[in-house]
Amino acid sequence: MHEPRSPRRDFLKGSLAGIGAIAALGGGTVRAIAQASSQTNQEQHMPFTLPALPYPENALEPSIDALTMNIHRTKHHQAYVDNLNKALEGHADLQGKSIEELCAGVATLPDAIKGAVRNNGGGHYNHSLFWVLMAPKGQGGAPSAELTAAINKAFGSMDDFKAKLADAGMKRFGSGWSWLIKKPDGSLEIVSTPNQDNPLMKGLVDTLGTPLLGVDVWEHAYYLKYQNRRADYLKSWWDVVNWNEVNARFASAK
Ligand code: MN
């Protein structure tokens, strides 16, 4: 996919224009958002900032209510951003890295900041991706023929895939994520990670790969509307999956 490395600030403004931007930008969206933030605030030594939401907070209703979207992004995600910036204070070399690079290399960081970057860098990457992996119902497109073929090969059918991704989310005890990843050999796999870990984190997760789709199963992602009913949240979430973005990530993932 073509990623708008420059002008990044224009992309950020453009992303506010509407959901069409997501489909057009494809797999580079998260990187573009993260680096737009990076450039904007480098002078203050706050390399990462909260990305703009590419749709209104109420656009995912009824699957995800506006209040949950607001608190999830402006409180939880913002805290990950703030704590990541704090952890990187005084580490100019790390401040210049992309969020993907930080996640991939987190196991090699000094012990003093490893845990903070793992939790908060992971949180920033995971949530930046999560927002663009969703779109208002009816606007997320459908799985491409290529992605459908790969899913059928790996999981039997689209329905089986959906059931397995949801099952991985249900079986995640406590907090974490359920992911569809493309592994280095090109095959697809479903994995689950605890807390804010993700499949980019070398040495910390069992299976590495590029996240194509991920769903947040922390209680903060659904509790206001669904309370304890994680299964209902996961079922309704499929209505707001942005397949256009998943297709693009599948096509561009190495
Ligand atoms: Mn979350």
Side-chain angles (χ1 to χ4, degrees), residues 12-101:
L12 204 57
K13 288 175 193 158
S15 73
L16 296 169
I19 199 69
I22 293 177
L25 287 164
T29 308
V30 169
R31 180 180 294 269
I33 290 171
Q35 294 186 346
S37 306
S38 178
Q39 212 169 50
T40 304
N41 278 342
Q42 244 162 20
E43 47 278 275
Q44 289 97 19
H45 302 288
M46 296 194 315
F48 297 100
T49 59
L50 191 69
L53 200 63
Y55 41 75
E57 286 180 341
N58 65 358
L60 305 184
E61 292 188 347
S63 294
I64 301 180
D65 60 288
L67 183 59
T68 295
M69 286 298 293
N70 177 269
I71 294 173
H72 197 174
R73 193 178 71 89
T74 70
K75 306 299 184 192
H76 293 276
H77 189 173
Q78 182 71 60
Y80 300 129
V81 169
D82 293 345
N83 289 325
L84 175 62
N85 286 330
K86 195 175 174 188
L88 297 181
E89 279 175 8
H91 297 271
D93 53 330
L94 299 177
Q95 289 175 338
K97 289 185 182 294
S98 70
I99 191 61
E100 289 89 347
E101 290 170 331

Side-chain angles (χ1 to χ4, degrees), residues 72 76-77 80 127 130-131 177 196 216 218 220-221:
H72 197 174
H76 293 276
H77 189 173
Y80 300 129
H127 288 83
F130 190 51
W131 309 135
W177 294 73
Q196 297 297 354
D216 188 345
W218 283 57
H220 70 221

Side-chain angles (χ1 to χ4, degrees), residues 126 169 172-179 192-197 215-219 221 230:
N126 297 349
R172 168 52 52 199
F173 183 79
S175 299
W177 294 73
S178 180
W179 307 94
S192 170
T193 55
N195 304 313
Q196 297 297 354
D197 287 358
V215 59
D216 188 345
V217 298
W218 283 57
E219 284 187 343
R230 185 185 288 187

Side-chain angles (χ1 to χ4, degrees), residues 87-232:
L88 297 181
E89 279 175 8
H91 297 271
D93 53 330
L94 299 177
Q95 289 175 338
K97 289 185 182 294
S98 70
I99 191 61
E100 289 89 347
E101 290 170 331
L102 282 174
C103 287
V106 68
T108 68
L109 295 178
D111 286 341
I113 62 169
K114 188 186 296 183
V117 174
R118 180 179 186 171
N119 291 333
N120 297 292
H124 180 44
Y125 174 83
N126 297 349
H127 288 83
S128 298
L129 180 58
F130 190 51
W131 309 135
V132 298
L133 286 172
M134 298 186 290
K137 187 174 182 178
Q139 294 183 33
S144 66
E146 294 79 8
L147 178 64
T148 300
I151 284 175
N152 289 342
K153 184 180 176 189
F155 309 111
S157 70
M158 186 61 67
D159 283 345
D160 286 333
F161 158 65
K162 288 183 174 181
K164 285 172 182 168
L165 191 80
D167 188 56
M170 287 302 295
K171 284 178 177 161
R172 168 52 52 199
F173 183 79
S175 299
W177 294 73
S178 180
W179 307 94
L180 171 68
I181 63 169
K182 187 176 183 181
K183 294 193 289 186
D185 68 3
S187 65
L188 301 184
E189 187 165 327
I190 289 168
V191 296
S192 170
T193 55
N195 304 313
Q196 297 297 354
D197 287 358
N198 63 50
L200 301 178
M201 294 179 171
K202 290 180 190 129
L204 298 181
V205 293
D206 293 334
T207 310
L208 289 173
T210 301
L212 305 182
L213 182 60
V215 59
D216 188 345
V217 298
W218 283 57
E219 284 187 343
H220 70 221
Y222 62 86
Y223 204 84
L224 289 179
K225 179 178 171 74
Y226 296 93
Q227 291 84 47
N228 59 310
R229 303 187 306 279
R230 185 185 288 187
D232 291 352

